[in-house]
Amino acid sequence: MMEKIRDAAGTNRMAVIIAYFLIYVVWGSTYYFIGVALRELPPFLLGALRFTAAGLILLAWRYWQGEPVFRRSLIRKSVISGIVLLFIDMAVVMLAQRYLSSSLVAIIASSTAIWIMAFDAPMWKKNFRNPSVVIGVVIGFLGVTALYVEQLRPGDMGVHSEYGVLILIFGCISWSLGTLYAKYRSSGEEEVNAFAGSAWQMIFAGAVFWLVALISGEASNTDLTAVPSYAWLSLAYLIVFGSILAYSAYIWLLKIRSATEVGTHAYVNPFIAVFIGMYFGKENVTYIQMAGLVIILLSVLLISRRKR
């Protein structure tokens, strides 16, 4: 994987580009495939199948590569980041959508990049003294808002919408703290440990999803033999591309780049989701949405210009 693509100067630039493509484009595409899979599979069972399969496949591959994947410290640290990053974040998004429209969920969720910068104490001095980083984070949020502002309607704030907002903000904070824990505490300092660490994180997240799916009755009330092939293909895409590749790339990038820079995926993912929905759903692109794209790209460029 990415750690194999190196040169004498350190991490190969192409490996970084591939990793950013995975967390920007591939991760953004998973919104569409999650929606397709959820037509036939309940949410917690979907999470259980997705993360358990991805975690076990990645762990087996790393073990076959000769990596010591069963180290106690690696497993212990992966418990926290797996549950906080994967389970809580996905669970709160599903809960928030009971009270808010998907457009409003996307806008609020994009604030994750702001929370990451706010909580990244070791980088406060460097980030807050760099105008391009601060401006980039702020206008990136405005860009995502421009993508969805035309889809917002007065009825989008449903009954007890304040519950949805609070739940979603909690999820954004949880993802931000989990990101920083994964960067500074989880999976060790070595870049190669990031892949075994992400495997364990997915396994533990999958275990919690299984627990909730069993308690809620999702597992027992779902006839897997009746699930159509398109849902299984969507699940396979989420396992291979969304989890094994994109999530592992995210954890790896956190080891070599600032959390604020890596967190810009929160701005790009919604645009990719809108673009895919436009392509498959034949939706029109408005001038405001195009302006949102330009603003998002500008914010990413500003943040990436920071001195490393």
Side-chain angles (χ1 to χ4, degrees):
M1 258 188 200
M2 268 78 71
E3 83 275 12
K4 297 293 185 183
I5 312 174
R6 301 179 62 88
D7 57 18
T11 303
N12 188 284
R13 182 177 178 83
M14 182 55 65
V16 175
I17 292 174
I18 292 172
Y20 272 110
F21 174 83
L22 289 171
I23 69 169
Y24 280 175
V25 179
V26 174
W27 234 353
S29 70
T30 59
Y31 287 99
Y32 172 80
F33 290 97
I34 288 173
V36 172
L38 284 174
R39 296 175 192 170
E40 306 294 339
L41 292 167
F44 290 103
L45 181 59
L46 174 61
L49 293 170
R50 173 185 176 180
F51 292 115
T52 301
L56 290 175
I57 292 171
L58 183 57
L59 190 72
W61 183 76
R62 297 309 299 170
Y63 179 78
W64 182 72
Q65 290 287 310
E67 185 174 341
V69 299
F70 295 105
R71 285 170 297 154
R72 184 176 300 177
S73 61
L74 176 66
I75 297 173
R76 185 181 67 252
K77 292 178 180 179
S78 298
V79 175
I80 298 175
S81 51
I83 294 175
V84 173
L85 265 174
L86 294 174
F87 174 75
I88 294 180
D89 180 71
M90 290 200 65
V92 298
V93 168
M94 291 184 289
L95 289 173
Q97 287 185 311
R98 294 182 178 181
Y99 307 101
L100 304 172
S101 70
S102 58
S103 300
L104 194 54
V105 167
I107 293 173
I108 298 175
S110 69
S111 68
T112 298
I114 299 175
W115 290 111
I116 289 176
M117 186 175 72
F119 291 131
D120 193 2
M123 293 294 292
W124 278 350
K125 184 176 180 180
K126 194 168 188 177
N127 284 337
F128 287 103
R129 287 186 176 182
N130 191 327
S132 65
V133 173
V134 177
I135 295 173
V137 168
V138 173
I139 69 171
F141 180 76
L142 296 177
V144 174
T145 302
L147 283 180
Y148 289 95
V149 67
E150 292 180 317
Q151 300 178 31
L152 296 178
R153 299 291 184 271
D156 284 350
M157 297 293 284
V159 178
H160 296 304
S161 58
E162 68 276 9
Y163 296 165
V165 173
L166 291 174
I167 290 171
L168 197 52
I169 290 176
F170 171 76
C172 293
I173 293 174
S174 173
W175 177 270
S176 303
L177 294 176
T179 292
L180 296 173
Y181 182 87
K183 177 175 179 60
Y184 296 117
R185 299 290 300 277
S186 182
S187 306
E189 295 299 325
E190 304 86 355
E191 296 170 28
V192 293
N193 288 338
F195 299 97
S198 62
W200 281 114
Q201 290 164 24
M202 288 186 281
I203 289 173
F204 286 118
V208 181
F209 271 109
W210 275 116
L211 179 63
V212 178
L214 290 170
I215 293 175
S216 65
E218 285 187 1
S220 58
N221 295 330
T222 303
D223 183 6
L224 295 180
T225 61
V227 176
S229 58
Y230 72 81
W232 289 117
L233 290 173
S234 296
L235 175 59
Y237 182 90
L238 294 172
I239 290 171
V240 176
F241 294 98
S243 295
I244 294 178
L245 293 178
Y247 183 71
S248 296
Y250 182 73
I251 298 299
W252 178 74
L253 278 172
L254 286 173
K255 298 299 178 184
I256 62 173
R257 296 289 171 128
S258 75
T260 298
E261 181 181 314
V262 179
T264 54
H265 75 88
Y267 296 150
V268 181
N269 290 166
F271 168 75
I272 298 298
V274 168
F275 179 81
I276 291 178
M278 173 198 69
Y279 182 80
F280 288 101
K282 306 300 181 182
E283 301 173 358
N284 293 324
V285 179
T286 67
Y287 288 113
I288 293 179
Q289 288 175 325
M290 290 299 295
L293 167 61
V294 173
I295 293 172
I296 289 172
L297 294 178
L298 177 61
S299 73
V300 173
L301 290 174
L302 284 171
I303 296 171
S304 64
R305 285 180 65 246
R306 56 181 292 277
K307 294 180 180 180
R308 296 182 181 90

